[in-house]
């Protein structure tokens, strides 16, 4: 049995329903995510995972119900949120370094602070040698690292990632999985991480939310009670992985 | 292997440098042959050259060739500056604001197909043949492509890029400045390129219908005085300036939109 969690609520999802015309995508979802929690969301393709995040960032407005961050209705202007989109979303007219600085400039941080963070992120993401290149000149995986770096640079309270590592090779994925954990621990951020990869979910999450097929509801919340760093060959790890895989397959 | 590649490369370079030179040489050769056969229809290159020299020693309407070129250029540049300022702002407005687009869009659809020179009679009737009507004509001819290119570029903005701006907390002004306008820059630049070439042709047409100075007036003067060499001098000058303008714009585009190759 998981230990009781006393952390305050960061994100409250209350009777969230989303329709696109007649298409019901999210069906009356309610759940809480606690401050500092690392949550992975898994579910069948097209079930509404991105739609959920898009409601949280107000790219879409909920049809019914609402989402609250720190007790107030979600609003990206009010909270320190950063978001890694599922699709490539680097700004093509900015260099790699400018892209990483983008959110920091909007927040009007002092120039030295911006320079220092950008440099640190360029190193972290292995993009230092491309700092003056444009995204269109780089590979898909490098472009994805730009937007991951752009969101890490914000030192966000709430980090939202929509299948961020889908385009990466295994080595880069393992490296970036450890980096997101490090950032999470260092900043105490709350992380919501959508993935198709169940091994990745079990490796990262404190809690995995399994969604049903569309219209999406929470099928089950699974607390991953494994010590870190986690070992993907550990029998208990494999047990979690198989358990979640079965639950996605059979509904 | 290396050597073969190197050789192929030089052959290709020679080809790409050589072909344009060859094309020009063919034109000149054709010109010489034609003017030799029909001296009454076409002056020879040598005649045109000496006529060219004469435009400096014996100015036409108290103005050398350079003065005429500058008169035309001045009109175009003045009109272009005004057209760029208004056309681009207006294009941004109707690209970004739906209500403005609904209102002005249809007007532009109607005006768009009218060639600038079709305005000449109306403008001359209203404003005579002074400096202002010429500049106004060029303005009309360049304003429309600028508005259309700018607004189309703005409408092309990727939804996801605007969302990036919103999620990182940008307000509407920041999103317009950081996201929307940069997206539209390549097509704004296409509009600028069109405006320059269409402005250049419009000013010459306007000058041909009545002006004391300008390359267009030289064409008319040569034509009416049966001075075909002068017509050729003016036409070649027009072509060279047009080509120079387009080269300058190409270089400028690389500076303004470096991500766009
Ligand atoms: N803007 C929209 N308009 C209409 N329908 C939409 C829109 N966005 C998403 N949908 C539909 O909502 C459903 C859920 O889409 P969503 O992108 O949230 O799924 P997902 O779980 O993120 O899928 P994937 O695993 O492929 O990323 C899909 O059927 C999709 O076609
Ligand atoms: Mg998705």
């Amino acid at each position: 049995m998981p230990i009781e969690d006393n952390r305050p609520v960061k994100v409250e999802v209350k009777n969230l329903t989303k329709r696109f015309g007649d298409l019901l995508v999210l069906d009356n979802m309610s759940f809480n995510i606690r401050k500092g929690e690392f949550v992975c969301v898994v579910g069948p393709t097209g079930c509404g995972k991105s739609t959920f995040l898009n409601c949280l960032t107000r790219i879409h407005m909920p049809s019914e119900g609402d989402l609250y961050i720190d007790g107030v209705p979600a609003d990206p202007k009010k909270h320190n949120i950063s978001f890694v989109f599922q699709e490539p979303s680097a700004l093509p007219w900015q260099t790699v370094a400018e892209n990483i600085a983008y959110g920091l400039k909007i927040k009007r941080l002092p120039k030295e602070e911006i320079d220092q963070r950008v440099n640190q992120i360029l190193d972290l993401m292995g993009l230092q040698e491309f700092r003056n290149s444009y995204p269109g000149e780089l590979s898909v995986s490098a472009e994805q690292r730009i937007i991951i770096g752009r969101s890490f640079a914000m030192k966000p309270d709430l980090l939202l990632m929509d299948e961020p590592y889908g385009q990466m090779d295994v080595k880069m994925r393992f490296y970036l999985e450890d980096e997101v954990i490090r950032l999470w621990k260092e900043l105490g951020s709350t992380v919501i991480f959508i993935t198709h990869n169940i091994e990745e979910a079990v490796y990262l999450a404190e809690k995995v939310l399994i969604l049903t097929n569309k219209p999406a509801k929470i099928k089950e919340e699974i607390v991953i009670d494994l010590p870190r760093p986690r070992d993907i060959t550990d029998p208990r790890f494999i047990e979690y992985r198989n358990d979640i895989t079965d639950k996605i397959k059979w509904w | 292997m290396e050597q073969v590649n190197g050789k192929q490369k030089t052959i290709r370079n020679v080809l790409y440098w050589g072909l344009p030179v060859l094309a020009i040489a063919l034109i000149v050769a054709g010109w010489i042959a034609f003017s030799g056969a029909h001296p009454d229809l076409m002056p020879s290159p040598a005649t045109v050259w000496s006529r060219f020299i004469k435009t400096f020693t014996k100015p036409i309407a108290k103005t050398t060739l350079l003065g005429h070129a500058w008169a035309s250029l001045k009109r175009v540049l003045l009109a272009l500056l005004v057209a760029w300022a208004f056309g681009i702002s207006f294009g941004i407005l109707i690209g970004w604001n739906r209500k403005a687009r609904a209102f002005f869009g249809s007007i532009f659809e109607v005006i768009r197909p009218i060639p600038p020179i079709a305005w000449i009679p109306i403008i001359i009737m209203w404003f005579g043949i002074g400096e202002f009507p010429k500049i106004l004509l060029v303005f009309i001819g360049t304003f429309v492509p600028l508005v259309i290119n700018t607004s189309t570029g703005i409408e092309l903005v990727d939804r996801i890029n605007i969302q990036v701006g919103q999620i990182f907390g940008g307000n509407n002004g920041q999103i317009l400045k950081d996201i929307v306008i940069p997206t539209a820059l390549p097509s704004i630049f296409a509009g600028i390129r069109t405006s320059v070439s269409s402005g250049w042709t419009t000013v010459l047409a306007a000058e041909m219908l009545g002006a004391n100075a300008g390359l267009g007036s030289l064409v008319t003067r040569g034509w009416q005085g049966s001075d075909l060499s002068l017509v050729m001098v003016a036409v070649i000058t027009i072509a060279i300036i047009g080509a120079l303008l387009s080269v300058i714009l190409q270089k400028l585009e690389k500076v303004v939109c470096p991500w766009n190759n």
Side-chain angles (χ1 to χ4, degrees), chain B residues 1 8 26 45 65 109 185-186 197 206 245 252-253:
Chain B
M1 202 61 200
Q8 277 178 343
L26 280 177
L65 182 64
E109 285 308 312
L185 262 187
S197 63
L245 287 175
L252 195 65
E253 179 162 17

Side-chain angles (χ1 to χ4, degrees), chain A residues 107-172:
Chain A
K107 290 248 151 40
R108 299 219 158 94
L109 293 189
K111 190 176 174 311
E112 310 81 67
E113 171 80 17
I114 295 180
D115 289 347
Q116 187 249 325
R117 284 203 205 176
V118 168
N119 259 319
Q120 188 190 345
I121 294 288
L122 286 170
D123 287 333
L124 190 74
M125 293 292 155
L127 291 171
Q128 196 62 264
E129 58 175 316
F130 303 119
R131 62 178 302 145
N132 295 321
S133 305
Y134 289 94
E137 300 166 346
L138 307 181
S139 66
V140 183
S141 138
E143 178 172 358
Q144 193 64 11
R145 275 180 281 148
I146 301 174
I147 63 179
I148 294 165
R150 178 173 71 190
S151 66
F152 282 9
M154 298 296 285
K155 301 197 173 164
D157 294 337
L158 181 56
L159 175 59
L160 309 174
M161 303 179 88
D162 193 350
E163 297 188 27
Y165 302 160
Q167 308 284 350
M168 306 288 168
D169 60 44
V170 182
K171 190 167 155 232
M172 185 53 79

